């Protein structure tokens, strides 16, 4: 079903109205949407996912609007406690729409398992011996996961690295596993365990660590978008965004915050879809250091027409099967909202959200600065913590912005004034 991710007035709707709008846009029924209610995932269900569970910790779940990805409109589910993240992604996606939105691509979904071999007398010769036997090692690994092989995945190759460490040269075998629609950690760890004995015998050493690497540099997804110069605020804004980007490219202190902005979008979608935020974060940070110097994950340029072009390429180990993706009811609904058919689709939506988030942050920093927006959100928090209702908070926030004062005693005074004047 073709759907429009531009939902007019979405941010001004009530929660129930937003839910109806999401149902209209996605065709999801009330039963599917009820799965995002706190009652659908109580402590009993939560106890199936973790240990020592005695409760459930809830977070806001929203959807970014305005996204078009490879010509199809998409609602992007995001779970985050941080104010302004979802609004910023939606705003940036709006500025990419005139030029077609986001365009994405990915490598094959190859995850790597590492098997560390110790006590090897002749590491170079051991490497050669393992490569001579690679076909049988691959066959043994694939025999562990017939389901994965059946859906077109499995071990596609093997690499042997010699790692010079403090006390020894370790022989480290990498299995390159196509994990299809899985995140793949359990799948590749099982294979690594299964082949470790044979590898140790071939190397004439002992196997120690057998686990995936989160430096998932063979499983990359990319997003590209052209952000309209006029919607951004004009040529000077484009130039200032480029200065902001260049500082991130050159300076690790700025790059860390620049990449944090990207991760605001990435982690929110990863979390909403029941995927492993730490795995994606570990992959991102190792990728930011891929050239040996910590730098920006994204790049920005100006095209021939003076519009701003953003690119983001990074590891994206996420799945639609396994982990919490199928167990957490809200994650299942989030995947239905995003209408993804494969892990590749999901990975590309996530990278598009990261690029949008990145652009939104750069634009604010290169124009008005972050504080204006943050202070109005801060003002709302102040009003609510002073006991204001949502309606009262709106009036108080408007007044605080007008007065440019964000003091708690002023909030209390305004609330008292409002109530004594009989206004709500
Ligand atoms: P999993 O083992 O639950 O699911 C993957 C399995 O599903 C495959 O092995 C395959 O047998 C089956 N499958 C069915 N249909 C498939 C399809 N279309 N494509 C691919 N596989 C299909 O989960 P997983 O993805 O291997 O592991 C993910 C979990 O591992 C996450 O919960 C993650 O947090 C956890 N984990 C992460 C790390 C780490 O990142 N360092 C370490 C250990 C565990």
């Amino acid at each position: 079903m073709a759907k429009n991710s531009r939902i007019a007035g979405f941010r001004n709707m009530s929660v129930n109205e937003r839910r109806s709008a999401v149902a209209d846009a996605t065709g999801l029924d009330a039963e599917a949407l009820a799965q995002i209610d706190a009652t659908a995932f109580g402590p009993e269900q939560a106890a199936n996912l973790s240990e020592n569970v005695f409760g459930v910790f809830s977070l806001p779940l929203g959807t970014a609007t305005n996204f078009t990805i490879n010509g199809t409109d998409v609602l992007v589910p995001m779970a985050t406690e941080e104010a302004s993240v979802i609004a910023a992604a939606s705003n940036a996606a709006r500025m990419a729409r005139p030029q077609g939105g986001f365009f994405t691509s990915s490598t094959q979904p190859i995850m790597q398992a590492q098997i560390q071999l110790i006590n090897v007398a002749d590491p170079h010769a051991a490497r050669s011996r393992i490569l001579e036997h690679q076909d049988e090692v691959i066959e043994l690994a694939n025999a562990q996961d017939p389901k994965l092989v059946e859906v077109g995945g499995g071990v596609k190759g093997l690499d042997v690295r010699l790692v010079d460490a403090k006390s020894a040269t370790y022989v480290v075998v990498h299995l390159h596993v196509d994990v299809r629609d899985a995140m793949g950690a359990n799948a590749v760890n099982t294979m690594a365990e299964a082949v470790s004995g044979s590898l140790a015998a071939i190397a004439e050493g002992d196997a120690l660590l057998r686990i995936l690497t989160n430096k998932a540099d063979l499983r990359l997804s990319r997003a590209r978008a052209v952000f309209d110069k006029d919607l951004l605020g004009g040529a000077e804004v484009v130039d200032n965004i480029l200065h902001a980007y260049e500082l991130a490219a050159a300076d690790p202190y700025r790059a860390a915050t620049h990449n944090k902005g990207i991760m605001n979008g990435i982690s929110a979608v990863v979390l909403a879809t029941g995927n492993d935020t730490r795995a994606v974060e570990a992959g991102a940070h190792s990728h930011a250091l891929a050239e040996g110097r910590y730098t920006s994950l994204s790049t920005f340029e100006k095209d021939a027409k003076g519009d701003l072009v953003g690119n983001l390429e990074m590891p994206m180990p996420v799945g639609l099967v396994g982990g919490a993706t199928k167990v957490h009811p809200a994650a299942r609904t989030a995947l239905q909202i995003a209408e993804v058919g494969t892990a590749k689709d999901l990975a590309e939506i996530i990278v598009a959200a990261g690029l949008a988030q990145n652009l939104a942050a750069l634009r604010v920093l290169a124009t008005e600065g972050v504080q204006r927006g943050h202070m109005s959100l801060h003002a709302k928090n102040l009003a609510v913590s002073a006991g204001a209702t949502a309606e009262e908070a709106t009036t108080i926030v408007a007044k605080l912005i007008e007065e440019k004062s964000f003091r708690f005693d002023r909030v209390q005074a305004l609330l008292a004034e409002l109530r004594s004047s009989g206004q709500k």
Side-chain angles (χ1 to χ4, degrees):
M1 183 188 83
K3 92 186 151 195
N4 187 351
S5 67
R6 293 214 64 168
I7 306 178
F10 194 66
R11 66 181 176 162
N12 298 320
M13 292 177 184
S14 68
V15 168
N16 280 334
E17 286 167 345
R18 288 192 198 122
R19 200 175 276 213
S20 303
V22 169
D24 287 346
T26 58
L28 284 181
D29 59 19
E31 199 188 324
L33 284 170
Q35 300 303 308
I36 56 179
D37 289 331
T39 48
F41 188 69
E44 297 297 323
Q45 289 87 352
N48 293 328
L49 276 182
S50 186
E51 308 75 38
N52 296 1
V53 170
F54 60 93
V56 173
F57 184 91
S58 299
L59 281 175
L61 175 70
T63 174
T65 53
N66 301 329
F67 274 79
T68 295
I69 301 180
N70 300 330
T72 302
D73 272 20
V74 180
L75 289 180
V76 181
M78 300 175 84
T80 178
E81 88 298 345
E82 188 170 347
S84 85
V85 163
I86 301 178
S90 307
N91 195 23
R94 185 180 56 82
M95 292 186 273
R97 275 182 93 86
Q99 308 273 0
F102 296 82
F103 299 91
T104 61
S105 63
S106 295
T107 62
Q108 294 299 313
I110 303 285
M111 296 295 283
Q112 299 167 71
Q114 289 192 300
I115 300 107
Q116 178 194 20
L117 301 171
I118 62 172
N119 304 326
V120 177
D122 51 356
H124 287 89
R127 175 175 184 275
S128 295
R129 290 198 298 276
I130 292 168
L131 291 172
E132 288 154 26
H133 287 87
Q134 61 180 300
D135 290 350
E136 62 212 66
V137 174
I138 290 173
E139 197 179 323
L140 178 59
N142 278 334
Q144 310 309 311
D145 202 336
K147 179 72 203 169
L148 184 61
V149 174
E150 183 193 312
V151 296
V155 184
K156 302 296 173 191
L158 180 153
D159 190 15
V160 187
R161 298 168 55 237
L162 300 185
V163 178
D164 288 322
K166 197 171 157 204
S167 63
T169 295
Y170 297 120
V171 178
V172 182
V173 181
H174 282 219
L175 298 179
H176 296 180
V177 189
D178 183 326
V179 296
R180 291 288 94 199
D181 292 318
M183 179 270 176
N186 290 327
V188 306
N189 291 349
T190 305
M191 290 178 172
E193 299 227 342
V195 299
S196 60
S198 305
L199 290 171
I202 297 167
E204 295 166 20
D206 300 300
L208 192 61
L209 304 187
R210 293 147 292 164
I211 188 164
L212 84 159
T213 169
N214 285 109
K215 183 170 157 57
D217 54 4
L218 298 179
R219 190 181 192 178
L220 303 176
S221 288
R222 316 168 190 97
R224 172 180 67 82
V226 181
F227 299 96
D228 187 89
K229 166 180 76 206
D230 296 325
L231 291 179
L232 284 168
E236 195 184 338
V237 174
V238 171
D239 288 339
N240 286 341
I241 291 174
L242 287 172
H243 283 304
Y245 155 67
E246 282 187 36
L247 182 60
D251 175 18
Y253 283 92
R254 175 59 211 148
T257 318
H258 178 97
N259 290 341
K260 193 274 182 183
I262 293 173
M263 298 311 289
N264 277 343
I266 302 276
S267 297
V269 191
V270 174
L271 188 59
T273 55
N275 275 286
D276 184 336
T277 50
R278 289 81 53 212
V280 172
E281 284 155 11
H285 296 306
S286 61
H287 201 63
L289 255 164
E291 306 288 323
R293 186 179 63 86
Y294 187 85
T295 187
S296 163
L297 284 165
S298 60
T299 62
F300 284 89
E301 301 156 310
K302 196 158 55 168
D303 71 9
K305 289 188 287 175
D307 291 321
L308 186 72
V309 193
N311 287 280
L312 175 60
E313 178 180 71
M314 59 188 287
M316 196 44 65
V318 291
L320 303 184
V321 296
T325 53
K326 284 256 193 291
V327 182
H328 197 297
R332 281 202 309 263
T333 298
L335 288 168
Q336 287 175 295
I337 289 171
E339 289 193 299
V340 287
T342 62
K344 173 180 179 288
D345 293 344
L346 175 61
E348 293 178 4
I349 289 174
I350 293 172
V351 178
L355 179 59
Q357 205 71 52
N358 188 204
L359 178 276
L362 286 178
R363 177 170 175 266
V364 169
L365 284 168
T367 53
E368 65 192 22
V370 286
Q371 275 318 77
R372 202 179 109 189
H374 275 207
M375 287 319 281
S376 58
L377 292 161
H378 175 57
K380 192 171 171 196
N381 287 345
L382 281 179
V384 171
S385 53
T389 62
E391 221 176 306
E392 288 168 339
T394 307
T395 312
I396 292 171
V397 169
K399 192 79 185 146
L400 292 176
I401 290 172
E402 187 188 308
E403 293 177 0
K404 295 194 172 63
S405 157
F406 298 97
R407 283 176 22 206
F408 193 63
D409 57 338
R410 184 64 189 136
V411 173
Q412 289 174 312
L414 285 170
L415 183 59
E417 264 174 46
L418 253 183
R419 288 186 175 171
S420 67
S421 70
Q423 279 178 267
K424 284 272 163 146

